Amino acid sequence: MMSCTKTYVYHLPDADGESREYETSVNSLIVIGANGSGKSKLGAWIEQQDFEGVHRIAAQRNLNFSERTPLKSYSEAEDAVFYGSSEEAYRKGKQRRWDWGKSYTTKLLDDFDDVLAVLIAQLQNENQRYVEDCKRAEERGEEKPHTRESSLDRLLTIWGQVFPHRSLRMTDAHFTALIPGDDAGYSGTQMSDGERSVLYLAAQVLCVPEGKTLIIDEPEVHLHPSLMFRLWRALENARPDCLFVFITHDTQLAASHKDSDKVWVKSYDGKRWEFDFIPESDLPEQLLIELLGNRKDVLFVEGTGCSYDVQLYSAIYPEFYVVPCGGCSQVISNTKAFASTEGLHSIKAYGIIDRDYRSDEELAGLKAKGIYSLEVAEVENLFLVDPVLRLVAERFSCDEVDDAVEQVKAYVIRRFEGELGRQVRQATVSCLKEQLSGIDITTAAGASVAEDFGAAVASINPEKVLRKQEERFEVVSNDADYEGILKLFNAKGVSESVGHFFGVDNKKYRDKVIGLLGGDWRDRLVEALRTYAPILP
């Protein structure tokens, strides 16, 4: 049985700059990369391989148009849009459209009137053909044909899909946007940039002859993401005969095209492009694309965009692009996943997680995979380390810095001793979970999975684990080892109850410390924090 799946062909340069053909079953291709990587020049190169088969809409486009569209014949308007001129001498290589090759990627397109003129001329031709068909039917005594969907109908449909609470009307070559309940509306020349951009791009796409490749540079210009997604979904559906090539740095647009080929442009040296296809990854695709566009090495951390993790790590590691991942398991997963894409880039990625109750052995195993831990149990404990306490005491004018710091330490130690039993139990549970997660059932001949699992579980000794944790915690407790306690003490609320020792509201203490990162105390605070943060390669 023959497949009815349509295929689309596009070309990209190989390592020698020669054209290489690719096929896809999806009518869109995403070309993405950082600013200055050569994306637009690659779009121009693709067009130059087939001037007749490719129509390119440059990033620089004038969205102003006349109150009433100047009417032209279809062929004259079409030539003006596709070639920049209707004169035969200038059609080859689209010389006038791109200033005889001098402005392939920099010329400001000023063809809005011509684009609308093509659409109106199409409509006139369609109406004329319909009238002629009706006349022939009358002459033959046949039933007149039903009205067909016109170019204008398609434009109005797409407009309605993008702007469901606006409608569009075209009368006497004049476009009007309508608001429900207001028949007068407002002139197309008074539309917002987003509305005019939708009108321009939709008209461009609808007037392209069948089977063309459409290159759209920076399709996101002037468009809110929600409008952009609706527009391009509508246009791709309206023109399944065309291949859309989107040249963009918008990660959301790229990620929304889940099944499309995606080309990551790394660099261009004036003659050759370095690029790769973005592979499938365990990382969310939008995050992967965003990271590829970043010039810094990547640091995955716990927390959200406004959490203490991000604020503190961004200050401690200014040379890294800090990415919040939520929980520690996602930090570990993302660090491993990004490392698996190293063929695409030269960016290094690391992770930082809270120490929590992990054993030294477990932390060493994670470090070997590029995942590091703090020298305290959790990020909130950074607000309690000695050098930070001293800095805060000095900043908020405590008369006796040493006395204030010692009072905080004594308070933290008392809190730790009061919660010792609960902390030991939580550490024991954490250790047991880690041992259970490491069980590897390799069923020998004749043995059952249940037997293997039972044997593995039986090898875990909860009492032994409990005693080991009791020893760890009791040692630092008996010695009143403040640094050791901060390594073990998991109690996020403790740092939210020490502000009063410095004359600061308890609930505002941590924010007061964060506030020091924005002033003259920044360097001293960062230096104090670095002592407890891992040194990254």
Side-chain angles (χ1 to χ4, degrees):
M1 181 184 236
M2 292 183 62
S3 171
C4 60
T5 302
K6 179 175 175 57
T7 58
Y8 305 86
V9 173
Y10 60 91
H11 294 82
L12 294 173
D14 63 16
D16 298 318
E18 299 297 322
S19 180
R20 180 180 172 185
E21 184 175 291
Y22 296 85
E23 275 192 3
T24 176
S25 60
V26 180
N27 75 324
S28 58
L29 167 70
I30 307 296
V31 177
I32 191 165
N35 289 332
S37 60
K39 302 187 303 297
S40 294
K41 289 183 173 61
L42 179 59
W45 181 92
I46 295 172
E47 181 187 33
Q48 290 161 23
Q49 308 313 298
D50 182 9
F51 278 115
E52 291 299 320
V54 177
H55 179 56
R56 182 166 60 91
I57 303 170
Q60 290 76 34
R61 37 194 185 256
N62 185 356
L63 294 180
N64 295 313
F65 60 98
S66 301
E67 186 79 22
R68 277 185 165 74
T69 303
L71 300 182
K72 297 181 179 181
S73 70
Y74 176 76
S75 59
E76 183 183 7
E78 182 187 45
D79 286 349
V81 171
F82 299 139
Y83 302 107
S85 171
S86 58
E87 297 181 45
E88 185 67 33
Y90 301 133
R91 288 165 58 99
K92 185 176 181 181
K94 302 180 181 177
Q95 295 182 50
R96 179 162 288 174
R97 179 172 172 80
W98 302 121
D99 286 342
W100 287 266
K102 292 182 293 184
S103 306
Y104 278 122
T105 59
T106 58
K107 184 176 180 180
L108 174 70
L109 288 180
D110 190 10
D111 59 356
F112 208 150
D113 281 340
D114 289 325
V115 172
L116 295 179
V118 174
L119 197 75
I120 293 172
Q122 274 184 330
L123 176 63
Q124 292 173 335
N125 289 346
E126 290 162 351
N127 288 342
Q128 180 63 34
R129 284 195 295 271
Y130 177 71
V131 170
E132 291 172 356
D133 289 345
C134 287
K135 286 181 177 179
R136 280 193 293 270
E138 286 178 349
E139 291 170 356
R140 297 170 183 169
E142 299 171 350
E143 183 180 354
K144 293 180 181 179
H146 292 291
T147 54
R148 308 179 187 102
E149 184 183 45
S150 68
S151 300
L152 180 60
D153 292 330
R154 291 191 288 274
L155 176 65
L156 298 182
T157 297
I158 290 167
W159 180 274
Q161 291 173 339
V162 179
F163 299 111
H165 302 299
R166 292 277 192 279
S167 57
L168 186 67
R169 181 174 64 203
M170 195 277 287
T171 307
D172 191 22
H174 174 75
F175 285 88
T176 304
L178 303 173
I179 303 171
D182 179 10
D183 290 337
Y186 51 94
S187 170
T189 57
Q190 301 303 311
M191 290 177 179
S192 68
D193 287 345
E195 289 172 320
R196 281 180 285 141
S197 184
V198 168
L199 178 60
Y200 174 79
L201 293 168
Q204 279 269 18
V205 169
L206 290 174
C207 72
V208 169
E210 187 174 353
K212 299 287 187 183
T213 293
L214 274 161
I215 300 177
I216 299 96
D217 201 347
E218 296 192 22
E220 66 273 13
V221 171
H222 299 304
L223 294 175
H224 185 276
S226 62
L227 298 183
M228 179 173 62
F229 300 147
R230 291 201 293 265
L231 173 64
W232 293 114
R233 184 163 53 245
L235 291 176
E236 290 165 35
N237 290 336
R239 296 303 307 265
D241 57 299
C242 293
L243 172 66
F244 291 78
V245 179
F246 298 112
I247 299 175
T248 183
H249 47 67
D250 190 286
T251 59
Q252 293 184 42
L253 175 67
S256 71
H257 287 71
K258 297 186 183 303
D259 299 322
S260 303
D261 289 352
K262 296 179 181 68
V263 177
W264 173 252
V265 181
K266 302 178 186 178
S267 63
Y268 175 61
D269 64 5
K271 294 182 179 180
R272 302 286 185 272
W273 286 268
E274 184 181 2
F275 65 84
D276 268 305
F277 286 90
I278 295 177
E280 290 186 2
S281 168
D282 290 334
L283 274 176
E285 189 172 61
Q286 183 177 341
L287 176 58
L288 174 59
I289 295 168
E290 178 183 327
L291 296 180
L292 292 175
N294 151 67
R295 304 283 182 160
K296 296 181 177 181
D297 287 341
V298 175
L299 183 59
F300 294 109
V301 303
E302 297 184 49
T304 59
C306 58
S307 66
Y308 294 127
D309 307 72
V310 173
Q311 295 178 79
L312 293 174
Y313 293 136
S314 296
I316 298 170
Y317 302 101
E319 69 277 21
F320 282 86
Y321 184 64
V322 177
V323 181
C325 302
C328 64
S329 60
Q330 199 59 52
V331 171
I332 295 169
S333 174
N334 285 356
T335 305
K336 292 178 180 177
F338 193 70
S340 69
T341 66
E342 60 183 9
L344 272 179
H345 54 81
S346 58
I347 300 169
K348 295 182 176 64
Y350 305 98
I352 292 184
I353 57 175
D354 291 348
R355 176 175 289 267
D356 291 326
Y357 297 110
R358 292 181 177 86
S359 66
D360 291 339
E361 293 76 16
E362 184 181 357
L363 292 173
L366 290 169
K367 184 176 179 180
K369 298 172 183 176
I371 299 138
Y372 295 75
S373 64
L374 291 170
E375 290 300 314
V376 291
E378 52 194 3
V379 73
E380 287 79 5
N381 284 8
L382 290 175
F383 296 100
L384 299 172
V385 297
D386 181 275
V388 171
L389 295 178
R390 293 186 178 280
L391 200 65
V392 173
E394 181 183 345
R395 169 64 182 83
F396 294 106
S397 305
C398 292
D399 294 333
E400 294 292 338
V401 170
D402 289 341
D403 185 54
V405 171
E406 290 307 315
Q407 286 185 55
V408 172
K409 289 183 176 181
Y411 169 77
V412 173
I413 292 171
R414 288 196 304 272
R415 284 283 300 265
F416 179 70
E417 291 172 343
E419 298 183 29
L420 192 58
R422 185 174 64 85
Q423 292 285 319
V424 168
R425 289 192 296 274
Q426 289 179 341
T428 301
V429 170
S430 177
C431 185
L432 291 172
K433 284 182 178 178
E434 193 270 327
Q435 290 185 29
L436 286 169
S437 68
I439 289 177
D440 181 21
I441 302 174
T442 52
T443 306
S448 70
V449 172
E451 290 173 343
D452 277 358
F453 180 75
V457 171
S459 68
I460 298 173
N461 188 333
E463 289 298 326
K464 183 178 179 180
V465 173
L466 176 62
R467 287 194 300 271
K468 183 176 180 180
Q469 296 304 323
E470 286 175 337
E471 290 173 5
R472 291 177 67 203
F473 279 77
E474 286 174 359
V475 165
V476 296
S477 178
N478 292 337
D479 294 342
D481 177 1
Y482 187 70
E483 295 284 311
I485 287 172
L486 292 183
K487 268 192 174 183
L488 298 177
F489 199 10
N490 279 256
K492 298 183 184 298
V494 173
S495 60
E496 207 173 30
S497 59
V498 300
H500 65 280
F501 292 104
F502 307 108
V504 173
D505 186 298
N506 284 341
K507 297 294 184 183
K508 296 180 179 179
Y509 169 71
R510 295 190 299 215
D511 289 334
K512 288 283 188 181
V513 176
I514 292 293
L516 298 179
L517 292 172
D520 296 338
W521 295 72
R522 177 186 178 87
D523 291 345
R524 292 180 61 188
L525 177 57
V526 170
E527 192 61 34
L529 292 167
R530 279 193 178 130
T531 307
Y532 300 87
I535 298 173
L536 302 179

